């Protein structure tokens, strides 16, 4: 009876090591593997074996396009009117290694870059133009973000201005102007 305990224990230990070394990466995901804390490689979709206790999965990324809400912020237009603007950013991880080691948090960096770019673009426009030229604003933000995010291993595919909300006093003035124009 005691003769079977040792081989059974060794078999369970071997099975546990095999299970610990197996990694199955789902489609449209990337796993970053570090060996002794140093980048070893990127695992794409499929079945992979790692060295137990030596290799570890340090980062997991989705390679799908991600939708990021850009929170509302106050911008000042060229004619010194404050407007609240928010948007939606579409971003995709292209290179998982650079997304891991090129920047600490690409998600937060993309949001902050979108906000600062939005403020600078709206600062060059009159209030009336901000409503008319949303597509130009979107394109300018995508271009600026795509250039900045290239070293991060990400690609900005789209940006959409969701809302441009002027102060209530300006909104009332605009409505009065429209009514007068119709009459």
């Amino acid at each position: 009876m005691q003769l079977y305990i040792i081989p059974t224990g060794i078999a369970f230990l071997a099975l546990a090591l095999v299970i610990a070394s197996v990694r199955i990466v789902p489609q449209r995901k990337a796993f970053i593997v570090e060996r002794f804390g140093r980048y070893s490689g990127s695992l794409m979709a499929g079945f992979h074996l790692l060295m137990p206790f030596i290799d570890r999965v340090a980062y997991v990324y989705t390679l799908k396009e991600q939708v990021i809400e850009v929170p509302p912020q106050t911008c000042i237009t060229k004619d010194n009117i404050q407007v609240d603007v928010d948007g939606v950013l579409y971003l995709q991880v292209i290179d998982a290694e650079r997304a891991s080691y090129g920047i600490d948090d690409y998600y937060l960096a993309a949001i902050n870059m979108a906000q600062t770019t939005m403020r600078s673009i709206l600062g060059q426009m009159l209030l009336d133009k901000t409503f008319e030229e949303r597509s130009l604003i979107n394109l300018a933000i995508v271009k600026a973000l795509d250039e900045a995010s290239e070293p991060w291993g990400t690609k900005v595919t789209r940006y959409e201005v969701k809302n441009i909300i002027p102060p209530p006093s300006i909104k009332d003035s605009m409505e009065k102007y429209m009514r007068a124009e119709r009459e």
Side-chain angles (χ1 to χ4, degrees), residues 100-140:
S100 301
Y101 303 110
I103 192 163
D104 189 37
D105 187 355
Y106 71 87
Y107 193 88
L108 180 64
I111 290 172
N112 287 329
M113 182 68 92
Q115 287 180 322
T116 56
T117 305
M118 173 63 74
R119 280 194 297 269
S120 82
I121 290 170
L122 287 180
Q124 300 169 5
M125 301 177 86
L126 297 172
L127 178 64
D128 294 340
K129 294 292 182 188
T130 60
F131 297 109
E132 297 169 9
E133 298 182 2
R134 279 186 178 206
S135 61
L136 293 175
I137 295 170
N138 294 340
L139 289 174

Side-chain angles (χ1 to χ4, degrees), residues 6-140:
I6 293 174
T8 305
I10 292 173
F12 279 124
L13 183 62
L15 181 65
L17 285 174
V18 168
I19 290 173
S21 67
V22 171
R23 289 289 184 268
I24 298 174
V25 181
Q27 187 71 27
R28 303 295 288 163
K29 293 260 188 184
F31 289 9
I32 299 297
V33 176
E34 291 181 348
R35 179 168 286 168
F36 296 120
R38 186 174 181 176
Y39 175 74
S40 174
S42 300
L43 304 179
M44 302 314 272
F47 178 83
H48 302 278
L49 290 174
L50 300 177
M51 300 285 291
F53 307 112
I54 296 173
D55 292 338
R56 74 177 183 94
V57 175
Y59 300 97
V60 176
Y61 290 103
T62 181
L63 302 178
K64 298 176 189 176
E65 191 172 31
Q66 301 171 48
V67 180
I68 301 172
E69 290 275 333
V70 178
Q73 62 178 328
T74 301
C75 301
I76 299 174
T77 62
K78 190 175 183 178
D79 46 357
N80 290 325
I81 297 173
Q82 289 186 351
V83 291
D84 290 329
V85 183
D86 61 351
V88 180
L89 177 67
Y90 297 86
L91 181 110
Q92 185 175 13
V93 173
I94 301 297
D95 185 349
E97 178 187 358
R98 287 192 291 165
S100 301
Y101 303 110
I103 192 163
D104 189 37
D105 187 355
Y106 71 87
Y107 193 88
L108 180 64
I111 290 172
N112 287 329
M113 182 68 92
Q115 287 180 322
T116 56
T117 305
M118 173 63 74
R119 280 194 297 269
S120 82
I121 290 170
L122 287 180
Q124 300 169 5
M125 301 177 86
L126 297 172
L127 178 64
D128 294 340
K129 294 292 182 188
T130 60
F131 297 109
E132 297 169 9
E133 298 182 2
R134 279 186 178 206
S135 61
L136 293 175
I137 295 170
N138 294 340
L139 289 174

Side-chain angles (χ1 to χ4, degrees), residues 161-179:
V161 174
K162 214 159 76 168
N163 296 309
I164 299 175
I165 304 169
S169 60
I170 300 296
K171 202 180 218 180
D172 292 340
S173 299
M174 290 169 74
E175 288 173 3
K176 288 176 185 175
Y177 177 77
M178 290 302 291
R179 262 187 260 128

